Amino acid sequence: MNLNRKKSRIIIIGANFAGLTAAGKLSKCHEVTVIDSKQDFQWTPNIHEILSDVKKETSLSLNLETIISRLGHCFINQTVSSIDGNLQTVTLNDKQTLNYDVLLIASGHTRSNYGIEGANKYAYGFRTADDVIKIHNDIEAILNTNKHPVNINIIGGGFTGVEVLGELLRKYATNKQMNFKVIDSAARLVQALPEKLSDDILSQCKNHQVSFHFNQTITEVKKSSIHFSNTESIESDLTIWSAGTKLPDYLNSINTQGLSNGLAVNTCLQISGFDNIFVAGDSATLEKPLAKQASIALDMGLHAAININRFCSQKTLKPLEVRTKPVLLSLGDINTYFIQGKLVLASPVLAAAKEAVYQFYMARLSTLLPIEQSVLGIAGRITLSTEKLLLAEILKLRPRVLLGRSKLL
Ligand SMILES: Cc1cc2nc3c(=O)[nH]c(=O)nc-3n(C[C@H](O)[C@H](O)[C@H](O)COP(=O)(O)OP(=O)(O)OC[C@H]3O[C@@H](n4cnc5c(N)ncnc54)[C@H](O)[C@@H]3O)c2cc1C
């Protein structure tokens, strides 16, 4: 690092949970440039709700240019194509090359197709609000053709796959035209979480038009079908890919350990060999790996910024205190689950807690916008949530159903 410079040149790649939190904490004494391929911050944990019209893209997004310039930093709306750790440069898709003294990688994960033929071309991704809007509109278009049945298949029964299924059931549970399948290579749902959670989700779905297909190896996805290693195949009018994620390819040059799950970092969030490159959020893997979770990405972003400020003023870095966090998983309007370690609590009432987390953080982040935009945004989100979620749920609420679904698993 060039210590003769008055201002350190800091580049942040990715401005969502980890990157934007770091940008908010980095001192204005530095020359901070934030790069993201998207124009907006996006609250990904609720994008699945676009499927059931409970959320709109605008209620999940905040403009990055406005926020970052109000933080006193520079925003570049571009995609990074490569990094050179030795030359300390970042190259963008438009061939522009930027020099840095300190780099923070906070570019999350991208979709992994595991090399399955046709997956990238024919299966719809589920990573951004744009992906979800496309699925929403294409399902409606298929329904308008009066096809019967409409086969919607979800590949991947992990956290995202379950939340997608829940929203589709919220919207189409009474539509007998619809036929859903969840397919996974594992023996059950949500493999990273307790088995009793999988059991409860399966039992809650018993009376719905959905079937689950475990221990399945997919060999090919075609436009209208999915093919398995046992030579069987099923029809598919729309295939949703929620099967896996990996590090973006542009990081290959510095991924010396070749992990697909994240760049290996020490507890101060630096990668080995380059002490001026920090990593936070889903892109990072500690020796004791943390869950790929928004709340953990927020903590890591904050910690990376604290350490970058200290690094620039040549102070000793602080190790990240590793803590697990609870997660809230929603199964549409059927149930919501609070999971902390082995503890699993189920209740439709927990949907209000998940909504409160979203409302709280969006309101907090929007304080970085001009006051009128911030107030309008908060009012819009609360109105939409009251109309589409809270009132809708209260009107449907039957005490016996509520009590029956509220339990410690
Ligand atoms: C459908 C879905 C539901 C989820 N539900 C939950 C939940 O309920 N609870 C929970 O805690 N977590 C949930 N998660 C996980 C959570 O969203 C992630 O853990 C979190 O987003 C990670 O934050 P991050 O900042 O590390 O990365 P991200 O939020 O992925 O942000 C990465 C940013 O980097 C940018 N970027 C990527 N590559 C480049 C490049 N080459 N050049 C420039 N910019 C780039 C992207 O545009 C993006 O803005 C969910 C995720 C999904 C997809």
Side-chain angles (χ1 to χ4, degrees):
M1 179 177 163
N2 183 353
L3 297 170
N4 297 323
R5 291 179 62 85
K6 269 201 191 142
K7 284 186 161 200
S8 303
R9 294 161 303 179
I10 302 171
I11 291 184
I12 303 179
I13 307 175
N16 225 47
F17 290 97
L20 190 58
T21 310
K25 193 71 189 169
L26 280 176
S27 164
K28 287 193 185 105
C29 309
H30 308 307
E31 201 179 290
V32 180
T33 303
V34 184
I35 308 167
D36 202 298
S37 6
K38 289 199 272 90
Q39 288 181 351
D40 296 307
F41 164 87
Q42 236 165 47
W43 186 268
T44 17
N46 287 64
I47 55 173
H48 54 285
E49 291 179 348
I50 294 174
L51 287 175
S52 57
D53 305 307
V54 161
K55 295 276 186 297
K56 291 182 183 152
E57 184 187 14
T58 47
S59 60
L60 296 165
S61 308
L62 299 169
N63 184 263
L64 282 172
E65 171 84 62
T66 316
I67 293 181
I68 287 165
S69 58
R70 282 173 73 92
L71 287 170
H73 306 322
C74 165
F75 177 61
I76 301 181
N77 182 207
Q78 274 281 339
T79 298
V80 173
S81 54
S82 65
I83 294 172
D84 190 319
N86 295 314
L87 293 177
Q88 299 188 185
T89 57
V90 162
T91 304
L92 309 181
N93 263 5
D94 67 358
K95 308 278 180 250
Q96 199 185 156
T97 296
L98 309 172
N99 295 87
Y100 66 81
D101 298 309
V102 183
L103 178 66
L104 171 60
I105 297 167
S107 50
H109 263 198
T110 184
R111 163 184 175 175
S112 168
N113 297 310
Y114 304 112
I116 294 172
E117 204 181 330
N120 201 38
K121 188 165 179 193
Y122 296 116
Y124 291 63
F126 210 95
R127 299 290 305 159
T128 64
D130 283 346
D131 291 340
V132 190
I133 291 168
K134 187 153 178 29
I135 295 170
H136 172 283
N137 294 347
D138 286 3
I139 291 179
E140 290 295 306
I142 299 167
L143 281 169
N144 284 338
T145 63
N146 286 326
K147 185 177 182 296
H148 203 294
V150 173
N151 295 301
I152 309 286
N153 296 307
I154 301 168
I155 300 181
F159 198 101
T160 303
V162 168
E163 291 206 314
V164 171
L165 174 67
E167 287 321 299
L168 290 172
L169 290 176
R170 190 202 294 269
K171 184 157 183 187
Y172 299 111
T174 54
N175 185 336
K176 297 300 167 212
Q177 204 180 338
M178 294 298 243
N179 180 20
F180 301 110
K181 287 189 180 67
V182 178
I183 302 154
D184 204 302
S185 57
R188 65 169 175 94
L189 295 169
V190 284
Q191 252 210 321
L193 299 171
E195 190 163 358
K196 54 195 171 185
L197 174 63
S198 171
D199 296 343
D200 195 71
I201 296 167
L202 294 178
S203 89
Q204 299 285 344
C205 291
K206 253 195 318 231
N207 298 326
H208 292 281
Q209 65 278 39
V210 50
S211 58
F212 296 88
H213 305 262
F214 297 122
N215 300 310
Q216 297 294 326
T217 306
I218 295 170
T219 49
E220 188 175 358
V221 179
K222 291 189 180 171
K223 192 171 188 300
S224 311
S225 57
I226 300 172
H227 298 256
F228 300 95
S229 58
N230 59 5
T231 70
E232 285 177 8
S233 64
I234 53 170
E235 275 184 41
S236 191
D237 296 301
L238 194 142
T239 305
I240 299 172
W241 191 265
S242 59
T245 60
K246 63 175 179 88
L247 267 185
D249 291 341
Y250 85 93
L251 292 171
N252 288 349
S253 65
I254 53 160
N255 188 5
T256 48
Q257 302 207 12
L259 303 175
S260 62
N261 197 25
L263 294 168
V265 291
N266 61 22
T267 53
C268 296
L269 303 178
Q270 296 159 295
I271 65 169
S272 84
F274 299 103
D275 63 356
N276 61 340
I277 302 185
F278 292 75
V279 192
D282 281 5
S283 297
T285 293
L286 286 148
E287 198 184 341
K288 192 173 166 218
L290 294 168
K292 306 290 181 199
Q293 241 171 275
S295 49
I296 290 177
L298 288 168
D299 282 3
M300 284 176 122
L302 184 65
H303 197 83
I306 291 170
N307 270 347
I308 291 172
N309 283 331
R310 295 181 75 85
F311 183 84
C312 294
S313 46
Q314 293 176 291
K315 290 187 183 152
T316 315
L317 305 191
K318 295 193 165 192
L320 175 76
E321 304 271 337
V322 181
R323 275 191 298 134
T324 57
K325 302 245 175 176
V327 276
L328 282 162
L329 180 146
S330 67
L331 181 64
D333 56 359
I334 300 172
N335 222 341
T336 301
Y337 301 89
F338 172 95
I339 308 131
Q340 170 105 56
K342 290 192 173 132
L343 175 96
V344 183
L345 193 65
S347 174
V349 172
L350 288 169
K354 185 154 175 139
E355 184 63 16
V357 172
Y358 150 77
Q359 290 285 351
F360 171 78
Y361 277 104
M362 287 297 279
R364 208 167 81 166
L365 283 167
S366 69
T367 55
L368 295 166
L369 293 170
I371 183 76
E372 55 302 343
Q373 278 183 39
S374 164
V375 171
L376 279 176
I378 292 170
R381 284 189 295 274
I382 290 178
T383 309
L384 187 68
S385 152
T386 311
E387 182 198 340
K388 297 281 186 184
L389 199 70
L390 302 179
L391 275 182
E393 292 310 302
I394 289 166
L395 291 175
K396 271 193 274 179
L397 218 62
R398 285 192 209 94
R400 270 200 16 228
V401 175
L402 185 68
L403 283 174
R405 290 184 190 166
S406 300
K407 57 201 164 190
L408 184 65
L409 299 182

